[in-house]
Amino acid sequence: MIRVLLVDDQPLIRSGFRALLDLEDDIEVVAEAADGQEGLALVQEHLPDVTLMDIQMPVMDGIEATRRIAGDPALAGVHVVMLTNYGMDEYVFDALRAGAAGFLVKDIVPEDLLHAVRVAARGDALLAPTITRKLIDRYVAQRPPTRAGSGLEGLTGREREAVALAAQGMSNDEIADRMVISPLTAKTHINRAMAKLHARDRAQLVVLAYESGLVSPSNS
């Protein structure tokens, strides 16, 4: 059973998402919160698999709540997916840097919402949609690399190659095809790179790849 926490200051959004999620046999909404502070407390109480977190909320915004969740080792199993009204919300990249696994626009179709929850619960990043790539390209392009080095020198050549391909939005299967290796080996390269870079998840690994200069919007 995938346990989900909803955090949004709009009751209509929460009730709509709950109605959709509660119809699924493998998904359970364990709690709802109207601001980031309440959401953080409920995350600590319920330890959900996935937290759907609004970005802009009173008391504590979603970015700060996500940063605190990602910074707490006891909450390592909680995957935060940010909710935004607009695909190019200026805060979304900050949310990814804070430790979010990805983001969804609030007018997402039901099938995509359910798929996203299941993907996040597996620990995979929601980085495939074109809109996410556009957002990363836009905001990283405005920020010169700030973490040159950032542990990348500790990666093997193949690990660096795998990370660069992941940052282009490729799945493990696609990375395997490009590198002419097995999907399991591709996954091993990514997991080892995450461990060496202390990346919480694949989304954070992609952010590090951009911020370090390993990948740039122009070559992605």
Side-chain angles (χ1 to χ4, degrees):
M1 182 68 72
I2 299 172
R3 305 172 74 252
V4 177
L5 172 68
L6 301 175
V7 186
D8 195 296
D9 61 337
Q10 300 179 56
L12 186 60
I13 295 293
R14 297 199 310 271
S15 62
F17 276 31
R18 176 185 277 273
L20 289 170
L21 296 172
D22 280 345
L23 291 175
E24 301 301 303
D25 293 336
D26 63 332
I27 299 175
E28 174 190 10
V29 177
V30 296
E32 298 179 22
D35 61 67
Q37 183 170 296
E38 181 184 10
L40 177 60
L42 289 175
V43 165
Q44 295 168 333
E45 177 182 351
H46 294 281
L47 298 178
D49 301 297
V50 177
T51 296
L52 298 179
M53 179 87 71
D54 189 20
I55 291 181
Q56 294 177 289
M57 294 182 291
V59 186
M60 179 188 294
D61 65 30
I63 294 175
E64 180 59 27
T66 298
R67 184 176 293 110
R68 296 192 187 190
I69 291 170
D72 186 344
L75 305 178
V78 179
H79 306 289
V80 179
V81 177
M82 307 304 299
L83 301 174
T84 176
N85 287 313
Y86 309 102
M88 296 301 289
D89 192 303
E90 64 181 302
Y91 301 108
V92 171
F93 187 72
D94 288 332
L96 292 175
R97 293 181 68 195
F103 80 99
L104 300 173
V105 289
K106 293 184 181 180
D107 61 355
I108 187 172
V109 298
E111 294 79 8
D112 288 346
L113 170 64
L114 299 174
H115 174 71
V117 167
R118 293 182 176 112
V119 167
R122 293 198 303 265
D124 294 332
L126 298 173
L127 295 174
T130 303
I131 195 169
T132 305
R133 292 285 309 287
K134 288 180 179 178
L135 180 140
I136 291 177
D137 285 355
R138 173 177 171 179
Y139 287 101
V140 177
Q142 297 175 0
R143 308 178 187 205
T146 57
R147 303 182 61 166
S150 65
L152 291 183
E153 64 276 2
L155 301 183
T156 66
R158 297 294 268 174
E159 288 166 355
R160 289 171 65 95
E161 183 179 357
V163 170
L165 294 174
Q168 295 176 36
M170 292 189 185
S171 66
N172 287 341
D173 286 344
E174 292 169 331
I175 292 172
D177 287 342
R178 179 67 66 87
M179 297 179 64
V180 194
I181 56 178
S182 71
L184 179 59
T185 300
K187 182 178 181 180
T188 297
H189 286 325
I190 293 296
N191 288 343
R192 286 178 177 171
M194 287 173 57
K196 290 178 180 180
L197 298 175
H198 306 291
R200 175 182 172 87
D201 55 25
R202 198 182 185 99
Q204 193 174 31
L205 185 68
V206 170
V207 172
L208 288 171
Y210 275 94
E211 291 194 326
S212 67
L214 177 63
V215 176
S216 65
S218 60
N219 63 29
S220 64

